[in-house]
Amino acid sequence: MRLKMLPVILVGLMFVQAIPQTRAEEPAVPTKEQAIEVLKGLLAALEAKDYDAAAGFMHLPEGISNADKQGWKDSLAKLIERKEISAAGIEKLAKDAKLTTLAEAAGDRAARMAEKFKVPVEKCYGLFLDPAEAGFYFDGKTLKIVRCDDIGKLVEE
């Protein structure tokens, strides 16, 4: 009797395996570690005075002109001098800040920040630790900076 049921069982198993999984995958979200690595990459490029590489860590708005891109690069050159970013500040963020949605981190200002970079606010995240603000846009794969403010002022070097 057992051998007679074997073909039925095998066919049943094949049918069960053929049913596609309908479980929705979890939406991708960035990690705090990714955000810290992006900030460290930006700092390294700035310290090397490689402003093209530094610009690669930033999310520039779509359709930005070449003149505006050059303006961004020129402003990047001043980030360390203005204490907008520093190694000690990044380490303080890594230790004490929590990565949250930009809306949670920046409140009412989040929509304006996202609008400036022409990105949806729900895809933006932030590491905020008074007075420092690091904002990021996450497209599901890549994390890019949309705000880098006062990180170097967290710890006086």
Side-chain angles (χ1 to χ4, degrees):
M1 181 169 207
R2 286 186 180 164
L3 290 176
K4 288 183 181 179
M5 294 300 292
L6 186 60
V8 173
I9 293 170
L10 290 175
V11 170
L13 285 174
M14 287 178 11
F15 179 75
V16 170
Q17 289 177 341
I19 297 174
Q21 298 293 324
T22 56
R23 181 182 60 155
E25 288 189 29
E26 292 293 316
V29 294
T31 65
K32 179 178 174 179
E33 292 75 19
Q34 286 174 305
I36 295 299
E37 287 305 311
V38 169
L39 290 171
K40 286 179 179 179
L42 172 64
L43 180 61
L46 292 172
E47 288 174 335
K49 298 185 184 326
D50 186 347
Y51 303 117
D52 287 324
F57 290 97
M58 307 294 291
H59 175 79
L60 301 180
E62 293 292 323
I64 190 169
S65 71
N66 285 335
D68 286 340
K69 284 180 187 176
Q70 187 58 49
W72 275 94
K73 290 177 188 174
D74 293 344
S75 68
L76 288 172
K78 298 174 185 166
L79 287 180
I80 293 175
E81 176 187 325
R82 292 175 157 171
K83 296 188 177 186
E84 303 298 358
I85 191 166
S86 72
I90 293 169
E91 291 309 313
K92 181 81 171 155
L93 281 178
K95 181 180 176 224
D96 297 331
K98 176 184 171 193
L99 184 69
T100 63
T101 65
L102 192 59
E104 185 179 332
D108 296 338
R109 298 180 309 132
R112 286 192 310 270
M113 287 182 201
E115 185 177 309
K116 179 179 177 181
F117 288 89
K118 299 178 181 168
V119 295
V121 71
E122 63 273 6
K123 291 187 175 188
C124 293
Y125 297 84
L127 284 171
F128 282 42
L129 185 64
D130 194 35
E133 300 177 348
F136 304 89
Y137 167 65
F138 186 62
D139 66 5
K141 296 177 187 167
T142 307
L143 196 62
K144 297 278 188 155
I145 299 168
V146 295
R147 183 158 182 82
C148 181
D149 189 44
D150 292 342
I151 297 167
K153 295 174 184 169
L154 284 174
V155 178
E156 294 298 323
E157 295 183 81

